[in-house]
């Protein structure tokens, strides 16, 4: 039986996910199918390449680098995050990504994006990732308004978290009924039922993409529905949900590396506290 690993996004709250994944890797727990969006997808690639602590170093050494994220970048390039730097110099030279191991492993990665013309999720495989083309990963992490639309093989794409913020439905649709879910919000979190930007602005900004605007308006309710599904699956003993044991209140673009260190360590502690449960779940379903 194939088991899924489900990773939501959340910008630099992804430091929590990095901590959880490092505990899994350090205990030789590698899940066959990972479904991930946005920051979750960026964390997932280092998990599949078996490079624990790589994303930890990204969050704690480079999150405050203006090449990584800055308002100046947004003004100059249309994107708050410096994807050319992140998937260029950072990935190729500063903290080299092991493409060979990433593609050699039998583990599969399903990268969630949003088709801006339909407002629906589109998933891509790890085979779309190579040193000179990281567009599917870039698209998955490209937040609306503060990032550019990414064109790839006839698609126009933005952040996967718009259309499927917690990609458990994609795993269930593929017949993967046992899953480990990593969230970046604590159990008490309730997402406000309003878009992140004024509706009139979204309609003007994306007037050519009304389905995208509709998806953005519905995102809060979709997010809460998918959270509910995660906990329902846990109650049915079909899933384990790992979520922060305390609220994470930072903004997506937090550049405080000390805070990101704390969030990473929170992920490490929470995952270690669930390790016996995780191993029991895996033993029962493999």
């Amino acid at each position: 039986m194939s088991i899924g690993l489900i990773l939501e996004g959340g910008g630099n709250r992804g430091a929590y996910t990095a901590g959880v994944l490092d505990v899994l890797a350090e205990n030789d727990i590698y899940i066959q199918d990972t479904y991930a969006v946005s920051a979750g997808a960026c964390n997932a690639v280092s998990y599949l390449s078996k490079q624990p602590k790589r994303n930890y170093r990204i969050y704690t050494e480079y999150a405050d680098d203006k090449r990584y994220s800055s308002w100046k970048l947004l003004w100059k390039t249309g994107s708050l995050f410096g994807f050319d730097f992140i998937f260029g110099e950072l990935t190729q030279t500063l903290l080299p990504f092991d493409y060979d191991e990433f593609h050699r492993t039998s583990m599969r990665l399903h990268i969630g994006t949003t088709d801006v013309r339909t407002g629906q999720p589109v998933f891509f495989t790890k085979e779309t990732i190579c040193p000179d083309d990281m567009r599917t990963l870039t698209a998955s992490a490209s937040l609306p308004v503060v990032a550019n639309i990414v064109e790839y093989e006839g698609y126009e794409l933005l952040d996967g978290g718009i259309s499927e913020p917690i990609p458990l439905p994609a795993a269930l649709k593929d017949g993967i009924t046992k899953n480990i879910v990593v969230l970046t919000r604590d159990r008490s979190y309730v997402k406000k039922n309003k878009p992140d930007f004024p509706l009139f602005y979204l309609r003007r900004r994306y007037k050519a993409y009304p389905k995208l605007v509709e998806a953005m308006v519905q995102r809060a309710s979709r997010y809460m529905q998918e959270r509910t599904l995660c906990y329902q699956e846990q109650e049915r003993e079909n899933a384990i949900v790992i979520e922060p044991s305390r609220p994470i209140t930072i903004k997506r673009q937090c550049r405080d590396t000390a805070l990101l260190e704390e969030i990473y360590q929170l992920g490490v502690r929470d995952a270690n506290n669930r390790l016996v449960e995780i191993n029991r779940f895996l033993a029962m379903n493999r």
Side-chain angles (χ1 to χ4, degrees):
M1 178 185 296
S2 184
I3 296 173
L5 177 63
I6 313 301
L7 307 177
E8 78 161 308
N12 282 347
R13 291 197 308 275
Y16 179 85
T17 303
V20 174
L21 294 182
D22 281 355
V23 170
L24 297 184
E26 288 162 5
N27 286 274
D28 200 31
I29 297 173
Y30 287 100
I31 308 302
Q32 184 63 33
D33 282 274
T34 297
Y35 290 77
V37 298
S38 201
C42 295
N43 277 305
V45 294
S46 295
Y47 172 71
L48 268 73
S49 67
K50 298 183 179 179
Q51 293 178 275
K53 289 298 183 78
R54 181 174 178 273
N55 282 92
Y56 165 77
R57 292 188 62 189
I58 290 174
Y59 287 116
T60 59
E61 295 178 21
Y62 291 97
D64 62 349
D65 190 313
K66 291 183 179 180
R67 295 171 296 174
Y68 180 92
S69 172
S70 71
W71 294 109
K72 185 177 181 179
L73 275 172
L74 179 64
W75 178 74
K76 289 181 65 176
T77 69
S79 177
L80 182 64
F81 289 91
F83 291 120
D84 287 345
F85 168 71
I86 293 169
F87 297 129
E89 184 180 358
L90 182 57
T91 297
Q92 308 297 336
T93 306
L94 298 174
L95 292 175
F97 178 64
D98 191 341
Y99 289 95
D100 290 339
E101 178 61 32
F102 177 73
H103 286 293
R104 183 166 52 240
T105 179
S106 64
M107 291 185 289
R108 294 179 289 265
L109 177 59
H110 310 262
I111 305 163
T113 67
T114 298
D115 182 334
V116 300
R117 288 177 291 191
T118 65
Q120 296 299 309
V122 179
F123 284 82
F124 296 93
T125 68
K126 71 178 186 181
E127 285 71 30
T128 62
I129 294 177
C130 59
D132 58 355
D133 193 347
M134 304 283 277
R135 281 178 293 167
T136 56
L137 201 55
T138 300
S140 188
S142 289
L143 300 170
V145 177
V146 294
N148 299 306
I149 291 173
V150 177
E151 295 184 3
Y152 183 80
E153 293 189 346
Y155 288 100
E156 293 178 272
L157 305 166
L158 278 176
D159 179 50
I162 301 168
S163 55
E164 193 152 311
I166 307 171
L168 179 57
L172 295 176
K173 183 179 179 181
D174 287 346
I176 299 176
T177 58
K178 304 294 182 179
N179 293 280
I180 296 173
V181 182
V182 183
L183 303 179
T184 59
R185 294 290 196 180
D186 69 287
R187 183 69 182 260
S188 68
Y189 178 74
V190 176
K191 189 168 183 61
K192 295 179 180 179
N193 190 26
K194 64 176 183 179
D196 295 328
F197 298 91
L199 184 56
F200 75 88
Y201 174 77
L202 293 177
R203 285 175 172 163
R204 184 176 64 189
R205 169 95 179 219
Y206 296 113
K207 62 182 179 180
Y209 307 107
K211 294 294 185 181
L212 172 66
V213 176
E214 183 179 335
M216 292 176 68
V217 170
Q218 295 174 351
R219 182 175 179 271
S221 61
R222 183 178 298 108
Y223 179 76
M224 294 307 296
Q225 288 169 5
E226 291 178 359
R227 276 175 63 92
T228 298
L229 176 63
C230 292
Y231 294 121
Q232 288 174 339
E233 287 294 289
Q234 182 167 247
E235 289 173 5
R236 297 177 186 127
E237 300 184 350
N238 290 329
I240 289 179
V241 179
I242 304 171
E243 75 266 276
S245 53
R246 63 168 176 80
I248 295 177
T249 57
I250 64 167
K251 294 181 179 180
R252 285 177 178 268
Q253 68 273 23
C254 173
R255 298 177 60 196
D256 187 327
T257 55
L259 277 177
L260 296 176
E261 167 84 32
E262 289 181 17
I263 292 167
Y264 171 86
Q265 295 299 340
L266 179 65
V268 169
R269 289 195 300 273
D270 288 349
N272 275 319
N273 288 338
R274 304 288 295 280
L275 201 53
V276 171
E277 184 183 355
I278 291 168
N279 280 315
R280 186 183 302 121
F281 180 80
L282 295 174
M284 291 175 57
N285 294 295
R286 277 181 170 164

